[in-house]
Amino acid sequence: MTINGALDEAAGMEDRGARAALFHALAEPTRLALLEHLANGEHRVRDLVDHMHLAQSTVSKHLACLRDCGLVTLRTEGRASWFSLADPVRLAALLEDADALLSASGVLLSLRDHRDHDDLVAETL
């Protein structure tokens, strides 16, 4: 393998790692719900806590993940932290594409069934 080939392969691994991190962020239902709520506009953490009926620490943890992936931005105003979608148009398009892909597959998925399948596979290993 040439040096350029090794560099290209390393860059490909980084791209896959970044994509995996993005899809990991989108793989959690609570984070998806936060993104859907932020599609309505900028919100304070307190607003999101009240809307989601979750602990502030839980909301903050999920927002940190979304922020690390570049999906949300943070603006501070005094002691308040305001979150908004970083790129609402592209995120909406991505979610619409996901819905279209799921629809085209003809497979009805549920998170519970998916997790049950993973548990069964793990038990057989």
Side-chain angles (χ1 to χ4, degrees), residues 17-98:
R19 288 182 189 134
L22 173 67
F23 286 116
H24 170 79
L26 295 171
E28 216 293 321
T30 301
R31 288 192 285 268
L32 284 174
L34 285 166
L35 291 170
E36 288 171 359
H37 192 62
L38 288 170
N40 297 317
E42 186 178 53
H43 292 284
R44 296 175 303 160
V45 172
R46 180 80 241 157
D47 301 331
L48 295 168
V49 166
D50 292 343
H51 176 75
M52 301 291 294
H53 305 288
L54 295 170
Q56 185 272 331
S57 59
T58 301
V59 171
S60 292
K61 176 187 75 167
H62 287 305
L63 288 170
C65 176
L66 295 170
R67 188 170 167 222
D68 289 347
C69 291
L71 294 171
V72 300
T73 60
L74 168 68
R75 178 178 68 83
T76 56
E77 184 178 280
R79 293 179 43 197
S81 297
W82 292 82
F83 286 86
S84 61
L85 296 179
D87 192 338
V89 173
R90 284 197 175 119
L91 181 61
L94 176 63
L95 295 176
E96 287 173 13
D97 286 346

